[in-house]
Amino acid sequence: MLLIARICACARAMLPITTMIAQTPAEFGRAVGARRRELGLTQEELAGVTGVNRRVVGEFEAGKITVRLGIAMELARSLGLDIELRPRGR
């Protein structure tokens, strides 16, 4: 429970992150990994909060395309990241 409180506090603090456009699974994974490291979390800690195995977090951060979209979205949400869809060039 303490870990969840720590992650929520970090995400609420919204440590600075630059806006990034991810056009590939690898870019999306790198952005999530960068945010996780900014918050000082391990892959194991993020996995525990999102209810997945640490291996899944590692594969996602490496850009493996077999990670389910729902898991990818939950990982981003757990780190205080929004996923925004908009027409290109805007």
Side-chain angles (χ1 to χ4, degrees):
M1 201 61 170
L2 182 59
L3 173 62
I4 293 172
R6 179 177 149 220
I7 291 172
C8 290
C10 289
R12 272 196 306 274
M14 295 306 290
L15 294 173
I17 186 170
T18 53
T19 301
M20 179 179 188
I21 297 174
Q23 296 180 329
T24 67
E27 290 174 350
F28 189 20
R30 280 194 298 272
V32 166
R35 178 62 171 172
R36 176 184 57 75
R37 288 186 294 279
E38 282 181 356
L39 295 174
L41 301 172
T42 66
Q43 288 181 344
E44 188 75 38
E45 290 169 329
L46 179 57
V49 170
T50 55
V52 298
N53 187 291
R54 191 222 47 90
R55 178 185 54 79
V56 173
V57 175
E59 289 176 355
F60 177 69
E61 289 182 4
K64 191 166 185 179
I65 61 173
T66 57
V67 174
R68 287 189 359 241
L69 178 59
I71 291 173
M73 294 178 81
E74 181 62 22
L75 290 170
R77 187 199 63 75
S78 294
L79 295 171
L81 296 173
D82 291 325
I83 298 171
E84 180 180 314
L85 301 176
R86 59 181 165 71
R88 284 191 182 127
R90 292 187 182 175

